[in-house]
């Protein structure tokens, strides 16, 4: 292809018609609390890993629901499993188990 | 006692007030412009938060009226004139006099066609929350225009609420929980159907509302924080909607089979007409003005004229009924009963 000196930027739009939901489905079946997030951000405020990286649990599960499976599996690796987010969650979500389930799904699916 | 109170509007507030006034010994002239009492609640199938049958509530309130209430259905009140503490009610029926007037004129649903970009009245699979209630009442489930069952439904919150573009800057209070209730009902009626609620904030203020929101989450309803910019019809008569997924700052789109617009509460046209005839004003949103927000919500600035329910601003059934009974006591005080 001829090089015209510019490139196309991929759309940053989320298209729920084509988004994959295998990871969201497998996690929510094993841990129904996955659907209970009210996006308060308490988990991020207390996150130890978030102090040193851009990791955030709220955004992690949000983007899994929007189909960004591969990226979020890599993101979940940043969690140190300290469990502080589980302690502060007002919806009593077992956040730690969700991270473990994401890792388990990745191993089983070879991702 | 031979004193008469005119109650204008036979919805839940009007019925509750008339019954309370009867119990206090007053004769009531209850005006209702439609052929039946029950107002907007009559057009609803089931009510939040516990899915109680709406008709049951109307029937309960109507059955507590006594022979002291004379109901004038199909009668539209044009104006009320006050002379020396006596009120002359001019209506499409015969003229009448009352010693006090209670406005329970309620609300009208926002006309969704005014939000043209959402396609109500243009795209066949865009309906309102009221249309969905009719479907629940007649067939127990949502249906697309061609009669088939939808596989994806989107609820759009705040249509005709919190929107200065349509001169509705206020929150209609009950649409959030209604959307959550209807989302749950869709999931129960059609378990395979995906449901998406597009909200700006979820205002779950009443008893049992937040629990209903959690129930919706448990039942797999998807909540997306963002207001729709527009809806477009696809070649297959589905509806493609666009919003920002504000929790991750990214635009988002989805194609659904059915869009449900959560229409808000607008002031009933008759409220302002009657207020003007009495020399009274509406509030900044066009609802009836009240004496003060904290301790005088059933009083107007004119002695002998009272208000209750959604005519002074969006209200749920519980608050409308309570306010109606509170107004009855205020009227009792005004007429010298205490």
């Amino acid at each position: 292809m001829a090089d015209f000196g510019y490139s196309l930027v991929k759309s940053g739009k989320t298209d729920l018609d084509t988004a994959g939901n295998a990871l969201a489905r497998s996690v929510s079946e094993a841990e129904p609390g996955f659907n209970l997030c009210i996006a308060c951000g308490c988990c991020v405020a207390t996150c130890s890993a978030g102090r040193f990286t851009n990791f955030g649990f709220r955004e992690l599960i949000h983007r899994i629901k929007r189909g960004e499976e591969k990226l979020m599996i890599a993101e979940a690796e940043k969690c140190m499993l300290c469990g502080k987010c589980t302690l502060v969650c007002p919806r009593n979500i077992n956040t730690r188990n969700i991270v473990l389930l994401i890792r388990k799904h990745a191993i089983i699916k070879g991702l | 006692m031979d004193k008469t109170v005119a109650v204008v509007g036979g919805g839940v507030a009007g019925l509750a007030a008339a019954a309370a006034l009867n119990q206090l010994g007053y004769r009531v002239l209850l005006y209702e412009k439609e052929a039946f009492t029950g107002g907007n609640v009559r057009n609803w199938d089931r009510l939040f938060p516990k899915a109680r049958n709406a008709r049951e509530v109307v029937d309960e309130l109507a059955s507590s009226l006594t022979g002291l209430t004379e109901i004038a259905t199909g009668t539209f009140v044009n104006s009320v004139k006050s002379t020396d503490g006596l009120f002359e009610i001019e209506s499409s029926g015969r003229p009448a006099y009352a010693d006090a007037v209670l406005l329970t004129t309620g609300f009208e649903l926002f006309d969704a066609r005014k939000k043209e970009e959402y396609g109500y009245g243009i795209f066949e699979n865009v309906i309102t929350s009221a249309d969905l209630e009719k479907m629940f009442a007649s067939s127990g489930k949502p249906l697309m225009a061609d009669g088939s069952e939808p596989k994806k439904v989107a609820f759009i919150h705040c249509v005709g609420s919190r929107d200065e573009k349509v001169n509705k800057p206020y929150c209609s209070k009950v649409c959030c929980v209604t959307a959550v209730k209807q989302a749950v009902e869709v999931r129960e009626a059609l378990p395979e159907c995906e449901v998406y609620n597009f909200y700006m904030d979820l205002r779950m203020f009443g008893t049992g509302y937040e629990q209903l929101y959690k129930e919706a989450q448990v039942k797999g309803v998807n909540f997306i924080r963002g207001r729709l910019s527009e809806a477009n019809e696809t070649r297959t008569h589905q509806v493609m909607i666009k919003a920002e997924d504000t929790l991750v700052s990214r635009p988002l789109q989805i194609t659904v089979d059915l869009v449900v617009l959560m229409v808000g509460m607008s002031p009933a046209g008759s409220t302002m007409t009657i207020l003007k005839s009495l020399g009274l004003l509406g509030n900044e949103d066009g609802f009836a003005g009240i004496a003060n927000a904290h301790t005088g919500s059933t009083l107007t600035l004119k002695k002998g004229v009272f208000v209750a329910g959604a005519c002074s601003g969006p209200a749920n059934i519980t608050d409308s009924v309570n306010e109606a009974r509170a107004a009855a006591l205020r009227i009792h005080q005004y007429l010298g009963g205490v």
Side-chain angles (χ1 to χ4, degrees), chain A residues 11-18 21 25 32 35-39 58-59 62-63 65-66 68 71-72 90-92, chain B residues 152 194 196 198-199 210 213-214 217-218 220-225 240 242 245 247-248 250-256:
Chain A
S11 168
K13 182 183 258 188
T14 301
D15 185 353
L16 287 181
D17 296 340
T18 53
N21 66 354
R25 196 165 278 203
N35 292 326
L36 300 185
C37 178
I38 52 172
R58 178 191 67 77
E59 191 171 336
H62 189 99
R63 289 173 68 179
K65 288 172 188 170
R66 302 291 182 262
E68 293 183 66
L71 265 171
M72 290 306 107
R91 278 282 211 223
N92 220 8
Chain B
K152 280 185 194 179
E194 289 174 23
Y196 297 86
F198 288 83
Y199 68 97
E210 183 70 17
Y213 167 35
K214 190 173 174 184
Q217 289 180 309
V218 169
V221 176
N222 302 287
F223 289 88
I224 299 173
R225 186 176 178 278
M240 201 270 274
K242 289 181 183 173
D245 191 3
L247 294 174
V248 282
R250 218 179 280 183
L252 174 148
Q253 70 176 51
I254 183 172
T255 311
V256 297

Side-chain angles (χ1 to χ4, degrees), chain B residues 182-251:
Chain B
Q182 292 185 335
V184 168
E185 288 174 306
V186 170
R187 290 286 292 166
E188 284 171 350
L190 306 171
E192 298 301 311
C193 181
E194 289 174 23
V195 177
Y196 297 86
N197 282 41
F198 288 83
Y199 68 97
M200 296 198 288
D201 292 296
L202 285 168
R203 299 186 163 178
M204 297 295 158
F205 63 96
T207 305
Y209 298 6
E210 183 70 17
Q211 289 88 328
L212 190 62
Y213 167 35
K214 190 173 174 184
E215 184 186 332
Q217 289 180 309
V218 169
K219 291 192 166 146
V221 176
N222 302 287
F223 289 88
I224 299 173
R225 186 176 178 278
R227 188 186 193 105
L228 242 61
S229 62
E230 64 200 86
N232 289 293
E233 195 172 55
T234 67
R235 276 177 298 174
T236 52
H237 297 286
Q238 288 176 296
V239 188
M240 201 270 274
I241 53 182
K242 289 181 183 173
E244 191 204 351
D245 191 3
T246 60
L247 294 174
V248 282
S249 309
R250 218 179 280 183

Side-chain angles (χ1 to χ4, degrees), chain B residues 115-240:
Chain B
K115 281 301 279 183
E116 199 179 344
E117 60 269 41
Y118 293 170
Y120 185 68
I122 304 168
F123 306 143
E124 60 183 34
N125 287 312
V126 177
I127 64 170
T128 67
S129 44
D131 297 333
L132 182 59
E133 287 295 324
K134 284 189 197 111
M135 289 181 187
F136 280 132
S138 62
S139 45
K141 60 187 173 186
L143 292 170
M144 293 162 68
D146 65 5
S148 57
E149 293 176 358
K151 292 183 184 68
K152 280 185 194 179
V153 175
F155 286 90
I156 316 305
H157 293 225
C158 301
V159 178
S161 303
R162 303 179 73 190
D163 186 357
E164 298 191 9
K165 285 283 190 289
V166 288
N167 197 26
K168 304 290 174 198
Y170 54 86
C171 165
S172 290
K173 281 166 81 174
V174 298
C175 339
C176 275
V177 62
T178 302
V180 169
K181 181 210 74 139
Q182 292 185 335
V184 168
E185 288 174 306
V186 170
R187 290 286 292 166
E188 284 171 350
L190 306 171
E192 298 301 311
C193 181
E194 289 174 23
V195 177
Y196 297 86
N197 282 41
F198 288 83
Y199 68 97
M200 296 198 288
D201 292 296
L202 285 168
R203 299 186 163 178
M204 297 295 158
F205 63 96
T207 305
Y209 298 6
E210 183 70 17
Q211 289 88 328
L212 190 62
Y213 167 35
K214 190 173 174 184
E215 184 186 332
Q217 289 180 309
V218 169
K219 291 192 166 146
V221 176
N222 302 287
F223 289 88
I224 299 173
R225 186 176 178 278
R227 188 186 193 105
L228 242 61
S229 62
E230 64 200 86
N232 289 293
E233 195 172 55
T234 67
R235 276 177 298 174
T236 52
H237 297 286
Q238 288 176 296
V239 188
M240 201 270 274

Side-chain angles (χ1 to χ4, degrees), chain B residues 80-127:
Chain B
V80 179
K81 281 182 195 117
S82 93
T83 339
D84 302 329
L86 193 66
F87 296 93
E88 184 185 351
I89 320 294
E90 200 230 311
S91 69
S92 57
R94 60 184 167 77
Y97 292 87
D99 301 292
V101 177
L102 173 62
L103 290 188
T104 50
T105 40
F107 69 94
E108 284 167 9
L109 288 169
F110 174 74
D111 180 1
R113 286 172 300 189
K114 288 180 182 163
K115 281 301 279 183
E116 199 179 344
E117 60 269 41
Y118 293 170
Y120 185 68
I122 304 168
F123 306 143
E124 60 183 34
N125 287 312
V126 177
I127 64 170

